[in-house]
Amino acid sequence: MPELPEAETIVRGLRPNVTGRSIRKVHVHHQDLLRTDRRRFCALLQGRRFDGVQRRGKNVVLCLDDGSRLVVNLGMTGRLLVALPGERCESRHPAITFLLDHGGRLVYDDVRRFGSLDVLDRSRWRAWSQGLGPEPLSRSFTARSLRHDLGHSRTPIRSWLLDQKKIAGIGNIYANEALFLAKIHPYRPAGSLGDVETRALHRALRKILRSAVEARGTTLRDYRDPLGQQGSFGPQLAVYGREGGPCPRCGGVVMRTVFGNRSAFFCSRCQPEP
DNA sequence: CATACGTCCTGCCAGC
DNA sequence: TGCTGGCAGGACGTAT
């Protein structure tokens, strides 16, 4: 569900509400989401203080006062909801509840339970983060570095973009939207992109992600920010979920195909078949 | 090693 | 109205 812009919106919403707060108690309602034993999970967190909130790819990262990090992957339907002291929480499918020192709560809610939570110490965090690809909005992500990373891969570019080891934070919505902007067919072998196309893709990725962050993400059905608000990028989607509709650029018909178990949307005229 | 596919889980919606 | 099948923003394990 949440991709980079949604995770970034969540991080920004969490920051003022949890930074400086301590964890009084942890309730685990569904331990299938934990990457570690529940007792260990609770023991590692109870009594800790949140020192800050970061994002890595589509993961929300809560930094703790002992240098460890609580890493939350939201899967398809994960939410991190905050309830201030005395407030009711809108969580319908709570999986993990963190009771905070001021009486408020942080709730990880997830209907489908595809998400995961883990506590990593400094060295495991470093190793985990290094296993992910570059941040597409960072300065070090350039057209040149992208061209280098694409290498000679024969994987369809849409699938390549979804691989978090190759590049972090891109999901199916923004992969499809960026390829549309760059006029590249989703099925093109990643390594076949030339310099001009690679520059277009690099530019398109940054543009679409920045715009979506500004709009506080896309809500198709489930996504909500920590206060329960929806993202507003939906109307700006050009092709995702618009099968049969008109291409906003050339008036052609938006097509849908399935590969890699995921839908791909594209304009058959603007994004020529490989 | 790289790539392809099924699977985890629940809810919603279109179509019959 | 009620049922069924398809589909969903992700990622991992296994097979080839």
Side-chain angles (χ1 to χ4, degrees), chain A residues 105-132:
Chain A
R105 275 168 301 160
L106 171 63
V107 180
Y108 178 73
D109 174 291
D110 194 343
V111 192
R112 292 174 70 183
R113 302 204 306 283
F114 282 4
S116 64
L117 294 85
D118 203 3
V119 181
L120 305 179
D121 62 25
R122 280 193 178 86
S123 84
R124 284 181 64 217
W125 155 259
R126 222 172 294 131
W128 176 84
S129 183
Q130 281 174 12
L132 291 181

Side-chain angles (χ1 to χ4, degrees), chain A residues 145-178:
Chain A
S145 72
L146 175 59
R147 180 51 267 185
H148 173 267
D149 293 344
L150 290 170
H152 295 97
S153 172
R154 298 190 302 108
T155 302
I157 184 63
R158 199 285 312 262
S159 303
W160 194 94
L161 289 170
L162 295 184
D163 185 344
Q164 303 299 296
K165 296 187 293 296
K166 306 283 200 300
I167 182 170
I170 314 293
N172 205 28
I173 292 183
Y174 302 114
N176 281 286
E177 292 295 310

